[in-house]
Amino acid sequence: MKQKILIVDDQFGIRILLNEVLQKEGYDTFQAANGVQALEIVKEHSPDLVLLDMKIPGMDGIEILKRMKVIEEDIRVIIMTAYGELDMIQQAMDLGALTHFAKPFDIDDIRAAVKKYAQAV
């Protein structure tokens, strides 16, 4: 069975890029542009791993992460942030995020991290 990856980012281009790369790697992918969509997908599909942008209009990444943990306590999350958001990174790590990437990120680094953390399920 294919592993399921949820990509949460309000930037369409980033979602498309990650979606394309991860599908080529053999994952089932889901995309969400905001927190409401992300939480619906977590409820319906129980993704194996979530790539979560921290800066999303409306419900920010910290709030999304907290709510995901309520739905699925052991959910695995990699966060993506703009450079220098150290307080947000620390908060997310305290909430159980596995690792983080600063944007702009190297797609090969993301690919390797997804492989590492999705396999650990």
Side-chain angles (χ1 to χ4, degrees), residues 35 52-65 88:
L52 175 61
D53 184 30
M54 289 283 103
K55 287 284 190 189
I56 295 182
M59 197 187 307
D60 74 6
I62 295 294
E63 186 61 29
I64 296 168
L65 181 55
M88 208 174 231

Side-chain angles (χ1 to χ4, degrees), residues 53-85:
D53 184 30
M54 289 283 103
K55 287 284 190 189
I56 295 182
M59 197 187 307
D60 74 6
I62 295 294
E63 186 61 29
I64 296 168
L65 181 55
K66 285 179 183 172
R67 292 185 187 197
M68 283 180 176
K69 289 283 186 181
V70 169
I71 297 166
E72 202 170 308
E73 192 180 335
D74 296 331
I75 195 157
R76 305 170 69 76
V77 179
I78 293 174
I79 60 169
M80 301 178 291
T81 63
Y83 177 74
E85 293 168 345

Side-chain angles (χ1 to χ4, degrees), residues 13-115:
I14 290 177
R15 286 199 316 273
I16 293 302
L17 170 71
L18 290 170
N19 190 57
E20 216 169 89
V21 167
L22 295 173
Q23 280 188 346
K24 280 183 185 159
E25 294 288 312
Y27 299 104
D28 265 343
T29 57
F30 300 90
Q31 297 179 51
N34 58 50
V36 174
Q37 289 175 350
L39 295 171
E40 283 299 311
I41 292 168
V42 169
K43 282 179 194 163
E44 285 180 37
H45 300 284
S46 296
D48 297 301
L49 186 66
V50 180
L51 295 175
L52 175 61
D53 184 30
M54 289 283 103
K55 287 284 190 189
I56 295 182
M59 197 187 307
D60 74 6
I62 295 294
E63 186 61 29
I64 296 168
L65 181 55
K66 285 179 183 172
R67 292 185 187 197
M68 283 180 176
K69 289 283 186 181
V70 169
I71 297 166
E72 202 170 308
E73 192 180 335
D74 296 331
I75 195 157
R76 305 170 69 76
V77 179
I78 293 174
I79 60 169
M80 301 178 291
T81 63
Y83 177 74
E85 293 168 345
L86 296 176
D87 54 332
M88 208 174 231
I89 293 168
Q90 189 56 56
Q91 212 177 340
M93 300 305 268
D94 291 345
L95 287 167
L98 299 167
T99 189
H100 76 278
F101 287 94
K103 290 180 175 179
F105 48 75
D106 181 320
I107 197 67
D108 290 328
D109 292 344
I110 294 266
R111 187 185 287 134
V114 167
K115 190 171 191 172

